[in-house]
Amino acid sequence: MYPKELRYSTEHEWVRLEGGRARVGITKFAADRLSDVVYVELPKVGSEVAFMQPFGVVESVKAVSDLYAPLSGKVVEINQALVEKPEVINTDPYGAAWMIIVEPRDLKELAQLLDAGAYMALVGERPS
Amino acid sequence: MDEPLRRTPLYASHVALGARMVPFGGWEMPVQYSGIMEEHRAVRARAGLFDVSHMGEVDLAGPGAGPLVQRLVTNDLSRRAAGQALYTPMCTPDGGIIDDLLVYRLGDERLMLVLNAANTAEDLAWIRGHAHGDVQISDRSAETALLALQGPRAQAILERLTPAPVGTIRYYWFREGVEVAGRRALVSRTGYTGEDGFEIYLDGRHAVHVWDAILEAGKPAGILPAGLGARDTLRLEAGLLLHGNDMDKSTTPLEVGLGWTVKLDKGDFVGAQALERQKREGLPRRLVGFVLRERAIARHGFPIREDGATIGVVTSGSFGPTVGNSIGLGFVPPEHAEPGRRIAVEVRGRAVGGTVARLPFYKRDAEAG
């Protein structure tokens, strides 16, 4: 449910470091809570995102939520397929439903994110 | 709203089914079980079962019952026989909609009103305030449960649980004393989904038994328990209005497209003069349907724009799972109300383009009903 190799924000985003880049999405917990995601709004490639500042929006039938950047940096890629098929957030939050890839400005920010254990404690789930 | 939330007799059943419970109209209600989309599709394709026991039920009895209701509602009760239900707004003297309700004609001097949960207390006070002598008014809301069995397979499922010929009940007719899973109920061919279906009124003490029996009997047909989330997307696709969102005391039935429920020729009623005047002088705005070109959702209160100017406001909006688009309802000036007209909805500071659409967004095949 919460892969060990990821880092997590208290706003329910995950980060996966891939070489010098960081892939970002939202967690299974957030996806379940939203349920029935119908719309995703992502930033433009080349734009800047800032640590724990909104970078986009995800909408379910019932509610709209901001997406918060777990790292500062430049957006180098966005998941256009997700914009066209946002419902995969509910089925594959750590895979096909990645949202943006960021060129991080300051990797020290990672230290402020949670590991899987701490994140599970935050959302009240026991490690499986 | 400091009062504690009320619970229907089915609260524990919802929790056991994994429902997500939310506050609605003063009640703690299931918004979804397996998911709004899945429940929505089940109702369109097969069947869904809703607990809508939060709705208010009020019995009126006595020679004054009929005249009282005729005086308070805009539609014409005299056109309904015993065994028929009537959909109608109830208005203020200004023509504003206090509530929209169903009136069941149980007999010559016996009526049942079905009221929106959030309005039940205010409706009751209004009705009592207009009653004179020869009518008994009993609030049956607390002890009455209401289950809505909706979808193309609703009739087949209900027939497995009752000896009564429920298939012969016509749209907006009902039968009292129908045995459903061995318990007496009032069964009416009504609903709020745009599908064929039934609403089943029964003693709250039997609610769990009948709920379980319907889900069990409907299992082979693919029934799902469905929550308020799916109820909202279903009713929106069907072009049905929600009081408190699409209409309230500041809007008249004429403005929201309920002119067909305003019978100015039936004799005097509360709001008649104001509605007659508005009909004569013209409408300041009209409620219309719209479809957006993107999947962003137009939420209640978002501005409707044309050429950069604000011309109206969204009253309801959602993604329509069956129609596959972002749809909504909103007020626009009458000259912008014709289908096909281009509009935009301002979504978080951005204009999302769309067009005025003919209602309903979704209509079931006639043969399925």
Side-chain angles (χ1 to χ4, degrees), chain A residues 32-39 41 57 59-64 84 86-87, chain B residues 20 31-32 35-38 229 232-233 294-297 299 318-319 348 350:
Chain A
D32 285 351
R33 239 184 9 173
L34 282 162
S35 85
D36 293 319
V37 171
V38 295
Y39 180 70
E41 211 171 88
V57 161
E59 261 191 283
S60 67
V61 173
K62 270 288 139 196
V64 55
E84 276 139 38
E87 57 271 26
Chain B
R20 190 174 302 173
V31 66
Q32 65 171 72
I36 292 172
M37 301 279 222
E38 193 179 338
D232 193 51
T233 53
E294 296 176 28
R295 286 171 48 132
I297 294 178
R299 309 263 175 196
S318 187
F319 182 74
R348 294 177 290 278
R350 196 167 62 86

Side-chain angles (χ1 to χ4, degrees), chain B residues 57-203:
Chain B
E57 292 86 8
V58 173
D59 281 352
L60 304 183
L68 172 64
V69 171
Q70 264 304 59
R71 165 123 195 93
L72 289 178
V73 304
T74 63
N75 209 336
D76 188 359
L77 186 63
S78 74
R79 304 182 196 198
R80 293 294 180 277
Q84 264 189 303
L86 177 75
Y87 172 77
T88 180
M90 176 166 75
C91 287
T92 65
D94 297 333
I97 304 170
I98 298 170
D99 202 0
D100 65 328
L101 50 141
L102 289 181
V103 183
Y104 285 79
R105 189 185 272 290
L106 306 174
D108 283 345
E109 298 186 355
R110 254 176 2 109
L111 302 173
M112 176 173 76
L113 311 182
V114 181
L115 312 166
N116 281 302
N119 300 334
T120 299
E122 189 185 344
D123 291 353
L124 255 175
W126 179 257
I127 294 162
R128 288 199 165 114
H130 286 79
H132 306 291
D134 50 3
V135 53
Q136 292 85 52
I137 301 172
S138 331
D139 181 4
R140 313 272 299 165
S141 308
E143 63 264 30
T144 305
L146 173 53
L147 309 183
L149 172 60
Q150 301 278 299
R153 296 184 186 164
Q155 182 184 321
I157 293 166
L158 192 55
E159 281 171 343
R160 298 186 59 182
L161 294 170
T162 180
V166 288
T168 63
I169 302 174
R170 281 175 287 154
Y171 188 56
Y172 265 72
W173 287 72
F174 66 90
R175 277 171 84 120
E176 279 191 280
V178 174
E179 290 225 338
V180 179
R183 305 296 192 276
R184 284 170 57 86
L186 184 157
V187 174
S188 78
R189 196 135 204 178
T190 49
Y192 193 52
T193 60
E195 294 302 326
D196 184 27
F198 299 87
E199 292 182 301
I200 302 162
Y201 299 83
L202 72 170
D203 188 318

